[in-house]
Amino acid sequence: MKRIGLLLLAVLLLPFGCKAEPAHSAAGFACDTVVTITAYAPQKTVDETLKICADYEALFSKTVAGSDVWNLNHANGDPVEVNPETADLLRLAIEIGEGSGGAFDVTIAPLSAMWDFSANDPVIPDPAALNEAAKRVDYRSIIIDGNTVTLENGAEIDLGGIAKGYIADRVADYLREQGVTSACINMGGNVVMIGKKPDGSPWLIGVRDPNGTPEQSEEVLKLGDAAVVTSGTYERFFEIGGVRYHHILDPKTGMPVSNGLASVTIVGTSSVLCDALSTACFVLGEEGSRSLLTRYGVRAIFLYSDGTRTAVPAE
Ligand code: ADP
Ligand code: MG
């Protein structure tokens, strides 16, 4: 009787969309960050996305020996044959480097390597050493010819400001190819949504309150088929003498950007673009970001450490 009841319930629910694949999730760790994927797809399909993340990490990591980035950074200026996707990502990084007047610079590696935000006993790098390292930071030193990349003038690559966005886009591509029409991918703050929830309601994406706990949202965005990326001072940082030293660096000085901003959130359609722009706009500040935001047709939310908020374009 109970069985018949359940069967009846199932039949009754079918016309209301319950035939759709139930939600499955996968969580993992890639590119030094937590990855969570929820998709209305079989568990096997969702699990496959974690493998995709690991494969890309093996290309883009600067610490994994033998990755494209590692090979480039250890080539002593010799040309290196890279995966076509690495070459494409570097081309986009250079484009954003140009568009931001060098505020976004993937040759930040000599500077970012001098900061250890997870050290037990963190230290502020010596300013003279930072100045010296900053001389090697210039995206124009990346020479690309097809899939052959040469780093001139002692340049080194750090894709930390753009790779997670790229990978999130590729995971979304894979899910779409598998016929998935409803999913939400979160790679350490790089969120990509496919469609809306199966019931037609939007995904709810919290923008963290920079002055609150990690669970506190300053606002909740209701979105579908979109990409949202936040760069904030709370991701990786340490504090000494009441000053917060965080991981978004001014390529000219090697010091954490100190312009009153606590986070920049970019809302668009391409996660890789939103990722690069979130870092670029953090460095440029609100006024300096306007033309870049217009050019790429994305929205931005600027949150300041004093609690103020601005949206560009204005809402
Ligand atoms: P998150 O990694 O927390 O998502 P971002 O996207 O803003 O945050 O990327 C910050 C990372 O980008 C840093 O950890 C570093 O690897 C790199 N980076 C820091 N400053 C710059 C910069 N000015 N231009 C390009 N990349 C940067
Ligand atoms: Mg970024």
Side-chain angles (χ1 to χ4, degrees), residues 12-34:
L12 280 174
L13 285 173
L14 277 178
F16 298 98
C18 288
K19 220 165 53 179
E21 193 68 49
H24 285 110
S25 294
F29 198 78
C31 297
D32 216 11
T33 198
V34 177

Side-chain angles (χ1 to χ4, degrees), residues 89 92-93 96 104 106 159-167 272 275-276 279:
L89 185 54
L92 179 64
I96 306 294
F104 180 84
V106 276
L159 293 175
I162 191 168
K164 293 196 292 278
Y166 181 85
I167 299 169
V272 66
D275 192 4
T279 310

Side-chain angles (χ1 to χ4, degrees), residues 92 165 169 192 226-229 268-275 298:
L92 179 64
D169 280 336
V192 182
V228 179
V229 179
T269 49
S270 152
S271 178
V272 66
L273 205 54
C274 291
D275 192 4
V298 296

